[in-house]
Amino acid sequence: SMTKHAVIRKKTWLAALLSLAGLAVASQGSPESLALRNPAVVSGPDILLKELVHSPGDLPEGWGDRVVMKAPPPGKPQQYSITTMASALQQYPDMGEVALRGEVNITVQRDGVPLDMALVEDAIRAFVEQDESWKDKTVDIECDTPRAPILVANKGRLEVRVENSAPESGSGGFHIFDAALYTDGKLDRTIQVRARVMALQEFWVAAQPLNRGQTLTEDDIKPKLMPSDSLRRGFVPVSDIIAGFQIERALNLEQPISRHYLRQPMCAERGEWITVVGERGGLKISLRAKALGDGRLGENVLCMNEQSKRRLLVRMVGTKQATIDF
């Protein structure tokens, strides 16, 4: 009668069932029976015979590394009937008369460790570099952290290959990537990963801490790769010249520079004497005038001519330098 532990022996009805499953006649010197573990813990993408039996050291030479069947994903135990195990072993002709002993159903659990998401990012980057949508663009990859860790084999050489991608509608640059996991060059399984692919370009950032009111020099700023959509946030791309501008707030090292922080440099303050240059009838005229207000580069400032005492509206073009259209 069938008990909790199903014992499979030669000349019993269960042994006959195993024969029907396809096990061929055993070769001379093979063990009469193999006792199976329950649960059995495996480490790779395949269930190996040595991981199923209680005494792997007693197996004939070469038997231990025989593949029984594909292992379940890490962290997801799966049950297999003992007859399913027997059927799987029919691929080995020398195991025809080897009986399997153990419980009716064997639980197989695969060991695993969390997948290093840096490997996934590298695989996505390699895929993106060859994709026409992003080819020849500098991009940044930002993977979503999975709600539950993706477990992979804790032994062997792991490789991640991205095979396909599709944009996620209305998600601000997020894509779903189909990735295949290989252990020691053999396909293990496929997973899906959500990641954002952002095009990058260079923007100005502070090369050192900056004080409010400081006039920027080329040594005060440096380029840094940032997402291209930083333009919408007002950050200044390196295509814009900002040396000579005044910074209107203190900035920390490598803090992006917003155009809202910049003001044209002060060229003259109220009460200062400035030189005004203009042209009339092909003649170049130069005069001295007192600024009646503060003036920054490019701004119009009201001044008073030193000689005539007349008021003039001039445009600042440099430090204490202005131009006028007569």
Side-chain angles (χ1 to χ4, degrees):
S1 60
M2 183 68 69
T3 63
K4 178 182 179 183
H5 295 276
V7 180
I8 306 175
R9 301 183 184 278
K10 290 183 289 182
K11 300 181 181 179
T12 65
W13 66 271
L14 193 49
L17 178 60
L18 297 183
S19 296
L20 290 175
L23 288 176
V25 177
S27 62
Q28 210 168 19
S30 299
E32 290 189 357
S33 65
L34 297 175
L36 303 187
R37 298 174 180 270
N38 193 22
V41 179
V42 301
S43 59
D46 296 317
I47 301 174
L48 304 181
L49 185 58
K50 64 185 178 183
E51 297 171 318
L52 287 179
V53 300
H54 274 288
S55 302
D58 296 338
L59 291 172
E61 185 178 354
W63 280 33
D65 291 324
R66 288 182 173 181
V67 175
V68 181
M69 61 183 64
K70 190 172 179 62
K76 296 182 179 179
Q78 188 169 329
Q79 282 194 340
Y80 303 88
S81 70
I82 200 168
T83 54
T84 299
M85 298 286 188
S87 297
L89 289 172
Q90 68 180 317
Q91 60 188 297
Y92 302 106
D94 56 353
M95 297 186 70
E97 289 195 358
V98 178
L100 303 183
R101 292 185 293 112
E103 298 185 24
V104 175
N105 293 308
I106 307 296
T107 298
V108 177
Q109 180 173 325
R110 183 174 169 191
D111 268 349
V113 294
L115 172 62
D116 182 357
M117 295 306 290
L119 293 176
V120 179
E121 290 187 6
D122 290 343
I124 292 175
R125 190 178 305 280
F127 176 83
V128 164
E129 287 175 353
Q130 301 301 319
D131 190 274
E132 290 298 327
S133 303
W134 296 297
K135 197 172 183 180
D136 300 326
K137 294 181 180 178
T138 303
V139 299
D140 188 31
I141 310 296
E142 185 180 276
C143 281
D144 254 11
T145 302
R147 292 182 179 178
I150 300 171
L151 298 180
V152 295
N154 59 359
K155 295 180 180 178
R157 179 178 56 85
L158 178 67
E159 183 182 357
V160 183
R161 302 178 195 169
V162 173
E163 300 175 337
N164 194 22
S165 74
E168 190 178 64
S169 60
S171 62
F174 279 95
H175 287 66
I176 302 298
F177 291 90
D178 297 321
L181 305 181
Y182 289 81
T183 302
D184 291 332
K186 185 175 181 179
L187 177 63
D188 189 337
R189 69 187 193 280
T190 58
I191 60 172
Q192 283 194 328
V193 181
R194 183 174 183 263
R196 189 182 182 196
V197 181
M198 297 171 286
L200 300 180
Q201 71 179 89
E202 289 186 323
F203 289 82
W204 290 121
V205 299
Q208 56 192 345
L210 301 177
N211 298 318
R212 185 174 183 269
Q214 184 173 337
T215 299
L216 296 177
T217 68
E218 292 184 356
D219 293 335
D220 294 324
I221 56 179
K222 66 179 182 179
K224 182 179 180 180
L225 282 171
M226 296 169 55
S228 296
D229 62 5
S230 298
L231 280 172
R232 296 204 304 265
R233 302 171 63 184
F235 295 139
V236 185
V238 295
S239 56
D240 291 2
I241 298 174
I242 61 173
F245 281 73
Q246 283 186 330
I247 195 81
E248 288 300 298
R249 57 164 292 177
L251 296 180
N252 297 321
L253 174 65
E254 294 205 354
Q255 186 172 346
I257 297 174
S258 169
R259 61 182 70 257
H260 305 301
Y261 305 160
L262 300 175
R263 294 195 69 180
Q264 291 283 7
M266 187 68 71
C267 292
E269 295 182 355
R270 181 185 179 90
E272 288 187 326
W273 291 98
I274 64 175
T275 300
V276 181
V277 176
E279 287 190 12
R280 176 186 287 178
L283 297 176
K284 187 174 182 180
I285 300 173
S286 178
L287 57 89
R288 193 163 178 260
K290 180 183 288 187
L292 300 179
D294 296 339
R296 294 183 179 275
L297 184 66
E299 290 182 342
N300 293 325
V301 180
L302 194 62
C303 298
M304 186 176 66
N305 189 323
E306 181 183 27
Q307 292 183 343
S308 67
K309 307 303 180 186
R310 291 178 57 189
R311 293 191 174 189
L312 306 170
L313 189 63
V314 302
R315 181 169 55 87
M316 303 306 302
V317 294
T319 303
K320 298 183 182 180
Q321 301 289 322
T323 186
I324 185 172
D325 295 325
F326 290 101

